[in-house]
Amino acid sequence: MSTFRLWAPDAKTVSLVVADSAGDATHEMSAGRRGWWWANVPSAKHGTDYAFVLDGGTEELPDPRSVWQPAGVHGRSRLVDHSTFHWSDTSWRGIALAGSVLYELHVGTFTPEGTFDAAIGKLDHLAELGIDAVELLPVNAFPGHHGWGYDGVGLFAVHEPYGGPDGLKRFVDAAHARGIGVIMDVVYNHLGPDGNYLAQFGPYFTDRYITPWGPAVNLDAPGSDDVRAFILDSTLSWLRDFHCDGLRLDAVHAFQDSRAMHLLEEIAESVHRLGAQVRRPLFVVAESDLNDPKLVVAPEAGGYGLDGQWCDDAHHALWATLSGERQGYYIDFGSIETLAHALTKGFVHEGGYSTFRGRSHGRPMPPTTAAYRFVTFLQNHDQIGNRAVGDRSSAQLNDGLLRIGAALLLTSALTPMLFMGEEWGAHTPWQYFTDHTAPGLGDAVREGRRAEFAEHGWGPDDVPDPQDPATFERSKLDWSEPTRPGHGSLLDWHRRLIGLRRKLPALTDPAWSSVECPYDEQARWLVVRRGDVAIVVNLSSQRQAVPLDGVPFDAPAASAPGFTYMPGRVELDGESVVITRLLPPAG
């Protein structure tokens, strides 16, 4: 027997349509408390298709809490009994965010096939690289065959073209077998426009706030108790039912929540409570551009208690220094001084003036906050895909600068994250692609994209058409590249850096006080001192001696040969980096 439940507080009647061997059967649902409806169907079981009909209408609606949408976001839902999947990860004890190296990947473009099962075939590559956890771009159900996933509408369901719910479970199970955790990227600040039926069921949205995507998700207006429960249950489902190890919350600065207990605090509390129940660490990392320590400060100190947050400032400082780009939000970055600030404090904007925003921005992070709570990167899906042509850093930087970027990222006190293919300097772009079928939506996306970049001098024919299937195909990784000499050498460099992060305790020390960054803006050198380890960087094009406070006795990694080290300095070629260990001070 299966019990069906639906929250539809404004409905006068609700009918449940269930498919069985004799055809469709309609069951009238009973009204319960606070707008909840229910029905028991003895014949329904795992694999049974069903849908809801409101107020005697003719339109069948999928279940807002559906786990399986085999016919897409507009089709009938299918029951899932999670106990039918046989897990092999019973000995998996999880991973902690502290000390980890993350790897962001998009299932649809990670392999030629674009499925969970095909991605399993590449997990050994990630294990050999030294990755601790993969962060999957959203895999919840979205319209069409391919897309980034940020216009999803099924917050519990797994995108069918990727392999559906069992495909995700197979992937997580296989990752755990290789010692790799799985982080799920989830979007609760908005839903996509195509296949979004939530407003027909109840007050899931409110017009008291307006967001870039239209009315805001209802987090504090009448009816919001059950909307919040809907979101909280979704977060826990990815962790409990699919055995994921953590969540990445998209753009939490877009949450509009005036309640005394913010939704973010509720999410953190419920996730940590589940972690205690399953006896393995579960964590939550948020994307936010507010530069507000409140996200990761403990609730006892007035914060939300999240485990970490993305640190765009560190990315901007690193990218602007290496690439020389200064347009848009990069206008506040680019100096070596700013890079040193980011590597020693995380936030660059700590309450000072932001030229890009035309106002002051952010506030300082308490110095006792562990540095690993900041997740940063040289590349990610936004920083590549939101460029006009989706060009990666390998299209902008030479090999020397790519190696410097990798060294500064993977030896930093922050939690580093790579974007798929970055480890070998992939030449394939990662572009913005969609597969909208709703009338007019694809045209609107295409024209909006062109208009956005026209303001920056791009012609309409220069910006890839998101709706063109070729844009999606171009964005798939070329797995023959790692076997080629230049790519293979860069891949070895990443492996060596991650290996050093494991081997040298100073490189995972989470204390900001352990990081020092002397630099010379004019000579263009920087030294990142992490205890007894020094990362010596020459950003100039000329060979030079970089002064060093200490006596180096070993150089476990260098991006180019021909360096020399002696008491008080390291001499190295232009656009290269040497990682050296230092003797302890005498006495």
Side-chain angles (χ1 to χ4, degrees), residues 67-68 116 158-169 242:
V67 177
W68 196 357
F116 292 121
V158 181
H159 193 51
E160 186 67 14
Y162 290 166
D166 274 9
L168 174 58
K169 291 174 182 177
F242 293 95

Side-chain angles (χ1 to χ4, degrees), residues 124-141:
D124 287 340
H125 165 85
L126 300 183
E128 292 168 4
L129 178 60
I131 297 302
D132 295 290
V134 295
E135 182 174 306
L136 300 179
L137 268 68
V139 304
N140 58 293

Side-chain angles (χ1 to χ4, degrees), residues 106 133 155 179 191 211 214 259 333 348 419 453 473 495 513 537:
H106 175 264
L155 301 190
L191 280 81
T211 75
R259 288 198 184 198
F333 301 87
V348 171
F419 184 73
F453 288 104
E473 293 296 329
R495 286 174 178 154
S513 59
V537 178

Side-chain angles (χ1 to χ4, degrees), residues 323-342:
S323 70
E325 291 189 6
R326 298 293 185 275
Q327 75 277 17
Y329 44 66
Y330 294 130
I331 193 172
D332 290 314
F333 301 87
S335 68
I336 299 179
E337 176 186 13
T338 302
L339 176 58
H341 190 114

Side-chain angles (χ1 to χ4, degrees), residues 255-297:
F255 285 176
Q256 302 290 342
D257 184 6
S258 63
R259 288 198 184 198
M261 186 173 187
H262 196 279
L263 177 66
L264 290 175
E265 184 180 349
E266 279 199 81
I267 290 175
E269 182 181 274
S270 62
V271 167
H272 296 154
R273 187 184 302 120
L274 177 63
Q277 178 187 341
V278 300
R279 293 184 298 153
R280 59 185 175 92
L282 300 174
F283 54 84
V284 186
V285 176
E287 178 197 23
S288 171
D289 69 357
L290 298 178
N291 282 26
D292 189 348
K294 181 182 292 187
L295 269 68
V296 297
V297 169

Side-chain angles (χ1 to χ4, degrees), residues 103-116 118-119 126 134-140 142 145-151 159 162 171 185 380-381 392 418-421 430-434 471-473 475-477 479:
Y103 188 96
E104 187 183 37
L105 70 86
H106 175 264
V107 174
T109 52
F110 186 54
T111 64
E113 301 85 352
T115 64
F116 292 121
L126 300 183
V134 295
E135 182 174 306
L136 300 179
L137 268 68
V139 304
N140 58 293
F142 59 85
H145 178 275
H146 54 262
W148 280 19
Y150 291 94
D151 55 355
H159 193 51
Y162 290 166
F171 178 83
D185 192 341
N380 67 28
H381 72 276
R392 294 170 175 264
L418 302 174
F419 184 73
M420 61 179 195
W430 201 74
Q431 299 175 334
Y432 183 68
F433 46 84
T434 56
T471 304
F472 169 61
E473 293 296 329
S475 300
K476 293 186 177 184
L477 285 177
W479 282 92

